Amino acid sequence: APPAPEKLRRVVAASLIGTTIEWYDYFLYGSAAALVFGKVFFPESDPLTGTLLSFLTYAVGFAARPLGALVFGHYGDRVGRKKLLVVSLVMMGCATTLIGCVPGYATIGVAAPILLTMLRLVQGFALGGEWGGAVLLVSEHGDARRRGFWASWPQGGAPAGNLIAVGVLSLTTTLLSDEAFETWGWRVPFLLSAVLVLVGLWIRISVDESPVFQAALASAERRKREQRATGRDEQPPILAVIRQSWRDILVAMGARMAENISYYVITTFVLVYCVDHLDLSQQTALNAVLIGSAVQFCLIPVFGALSDVVGRRPVYLFGAVGTGAWAWVFFTLLDTESFPALLLAVTVGLVFHSAMYAPQAAFFSELFATRMRYSGASIGAQFASVAAGAPAPLIATALLQSTGGSGAISLYVTAAALLTVVALVAARETRGSDLGEDDAEPAPDATAPDPAAAAAVEGRGTS
């Protein structure tokens, strides 16, 4: 049954605010890596090499996201979505605040980038568990008819977080001189995370656990009692989803390729391209990303609602095909060194990204059964991020450094779009799926003894 409207709105608001804060923390690092980390933590390198090294620490965070997906997914499917979301928010906020306290290379030498990398790993681990829980909490509270719309709101946390991160950085660079910003001003947005996390916790603790999960938990308890009576154990959620839904995991991973790579090229690498390659000001590049993120935040619920009408796959396909084609126009517009052209390039790129990102929450939620949904959605999304979002700014910067132009980068984004199109063609349409407990009985643990088989063997041995 559809939940009470005020309850659903409260859940949506809690998920949106929580994901916004976590993405703020995560994207803040990416923007700072493009603008200032190379100078603060790798000052002995030339500008592009220093940026490459800072992006390397940025990519390390993605390496921890699959581990976070496995750990949070397992316990999220066992003890609930809400509890794990509180843990992820606290971890992310603490790591981000501490990044703002790390001394630079000039003060403590090589220990500075090492500490930075360790805290980035904690950020990645926390985000690996955040995304799946946030979108599932909303998806499992809502009804099938408007699930695409409601589940898209936590997705709005990404552009909203990026909007706040870039906005705070933009304000800081405007108010401070370049020297003051590089010396201490960049730390202010990181320290601000401590305040944001307290607000997020207060809101997130106030919501209820997903009713679908509560029903699934009660069902699981009944199964455990029955299985204890027969001597067989149910597989852990991680093993069950890999064994039973590996095709859907591959679909989710493929669907993430164009979405993840294009986003980090449009919002993070664009800062490097504009500042280091085109010699535009930091403020010009930040303003374009700022406006584009605001437009994207407004478009995500629109595309989410559209996926409720025409289906998840058609909307997602539109975004993937558009991304592959726009990659070639994107850099052509940037090379004009005109702010209106730069703004158009970033905004249209984020429009196509929104068409993929908005239906993603409902789409991935509907691919998996309740008892393994947190694990399946998180594994599919976060394992793909290691191959997609993690190296995207690093690869784009290396291609720019080696070729001196943008053609190879456009080809890279187009190849990712083709992978996503293939995954979507192979996928099933999920619009209207019932997120209640799944139809099939969970597979037993293959290592547990089968009492019936054992009895049969014993009978043959005594006859």
Side-chain angles (χ1 to χ4, degrees):
E6 63 277 4
K7 181 178 180 181
L8 181 56
R9 284 193 292 268
R10 187 167 63 250
V11 171
V12 170
S15 293
L16 172 59
I17 292 170
T19 53
T20 297
I21 293 169
E22 295 227 22
W23 281 115
Y24 164 83
D25 291 347
Y26 204 73
F27 287 145
L28 183 61
Y29 190 104
S31 298
L35 295 175
V36 74
F37 279 178
K39 302 169 187 175
V40 175
F41 295 100
F42 306 98
E44 298 182 356
S45 306
D46 65 81
L48 267 182
T49 302
T51 302
L52 274 171
L53 292 172
S54 64
F55 274 149
L56 189 60
T57 68
Y58 165 82
V60 163
F62 286 84
R65 284 167 67 169
L67 180 60
L70 291 172
V71 174
F72 279 83
H74 174 79
Y75 288 103
D77 283 328
R78 286 293 175 91
V79 303
R81 287 58 164 126
K82 174 183 170 179
K83 295 176 183 176
L84 273 296
L85 286 174
V86 170
V87 174
S88 71
L89 186 61
V90 171
M91 288 183 66
M92 177 68 85
C94 290
T96 304
T97 303
L98 288 174
I99 287 173
C101 302
V102 175
Y105 185 91
T107 304
I108 60 173
V110 72
I114 291 175
L115 286 173
L116 185 71
T117 303
M118 291 174 63
L119 291 171
R120 180 60 175 174
L121 284 169
V122 176
Q123 278 193 322
F125 182 82
L127 191 65
E130 160 70 20
W131 180 84
V135 299
L136 293 188
L137 196 64
V138 177
S139 294
E140 293 178 346
H141 267 90
D143 61 299
R145 187 175 61 87
R146 301 191 67 194
R147 184 178 298 127
F149 171 73
W150 289 117
S152 69
W153 280 99
Q155 300 291 77
N162 199 27
L163 181 67
I164 298 172
V166 174
V168 173
L169 279 173
S170 179
L171 179 63
T172 308
T173 57
T174 301
L175 296 177
L176 300 176
S177 65
D178 290 345
E179 182 181 357
F181 178 74
E182 292 174 15
T183 303
W184 60 269
W186 67 268
R187 300 179 184 275
V188 175
F190 286 88
L191 298 175
L192 179 62
S193 176
V195 179
L196 296 177
V197 166
L198 292 176
V199 175
L201 279 176
W202 176 67
I203 295 172
R204 185 161 277 183
I205 290 174
S206 67
V207 301
D208 297 327
E209 182 57 84
S210 151
V212 171
F213 174 77
Q214 289 175 334
L217 190 62
S219 176
E221 290 299 324
R222 288 195 300 271
R223 287 198 304 269
K224 285 179 183 177
R225 290 194 295 270
E226 295 168 359
Q227 287 162 353
R228 278 196 294 267
T230 59
R232 304 184 75 178
D233 297 323
E234 184 178 342
Q235 286 183 329
I238 293 174
L239 297 180
V241 76
I242 292 174
R243 178 179 177 182
Q244 299 175 39
S245 301
W246 60 269
R247 291 180 182 84
D248 292 324
I249 291 176
L250 291 179
V251 165
M253 291 176 67
R256 285 274 282 169
M257 289 297 144
E259 176 266 309
N260 218 216
I261 288 173
S262 66
Y263 188 76
Y264 289 103
V265 169
I266 294 168
T267 62
T268 301
F269 172 73
V270 72
L271 302 178
V272 177
Y273 192 85
C274 290
V275 175
D276 293 340
H277 183 65
L278 301 179
D279 292 325
L280 297 175
S281 69
Q282 293 179 354
Q283 195 62 48
T284 299
L286 286 170
N287 287 344
V289 176
L290 193 68
I291 297 171
S293 296
V295 172
Q296 184 180 30
F297 178 78
C298 298
L299 282 178
I300 281 181
V302 175
F303 281 116
L306 184 62
S307 76
D308 286 326
V309 178
V310 302
R312 319 296 184 215
R313 291 169 68 238
V315 177
Y316 213 124
L317 276 168
F318 166 75
V321 173
T323 293
W326 190 251
W328 299 92
V329 183
F330 181 79
F331 288 102
T332 302
L333 291 172
L334 296 188
D335 289 339
T336 65
E337 301 185 22
S338 160
F339 179 73
L342 169 59
L343 180 59
L344 179 65
V346 170
T347 303
V348 174
L350 290 177
V351 168
F352 289 125
H353 179 267
S354 301
M356 294 183 284
Y357 199 56
Q360 189 180 95
F363 182 38
F364 287 10
S365 299
E366 292 161 345
L367 286 174
F368 302 100
T370 304
R371 65 176 180 273
M372 59 183 80
R373 185 169 293 131
Y374 202 145
S375 297
S378 296
I379 290 171
Q382 304 307 334
F383 272 73
S385 70
V386 176
L394 195 63
I395 290 173
T397 304
L399 290 173
L400 177 63
Q401 190 177 45
S402 60
T403 65
S406 60
I409 306 171
S410 298
L411 187 61
Y412 169 52
V413 176
T414 301
L418 288 174
L419 283 175
T420 293
V421 168
V422 170
L424 293 171
V425 169
R428 56 189 172 88
E429 178 55 63
T430 62
R431 177 171 63 100
S433 300
D434 181 7
L435 290 190
E437 187 57 288
D438 33 14
D439 33 21
E441 280 298 309
D445 188 342
T447 62
D450 185 337
V457 170
E458 183 180 352
R460 285 197 299 271
T462 55
S463 60

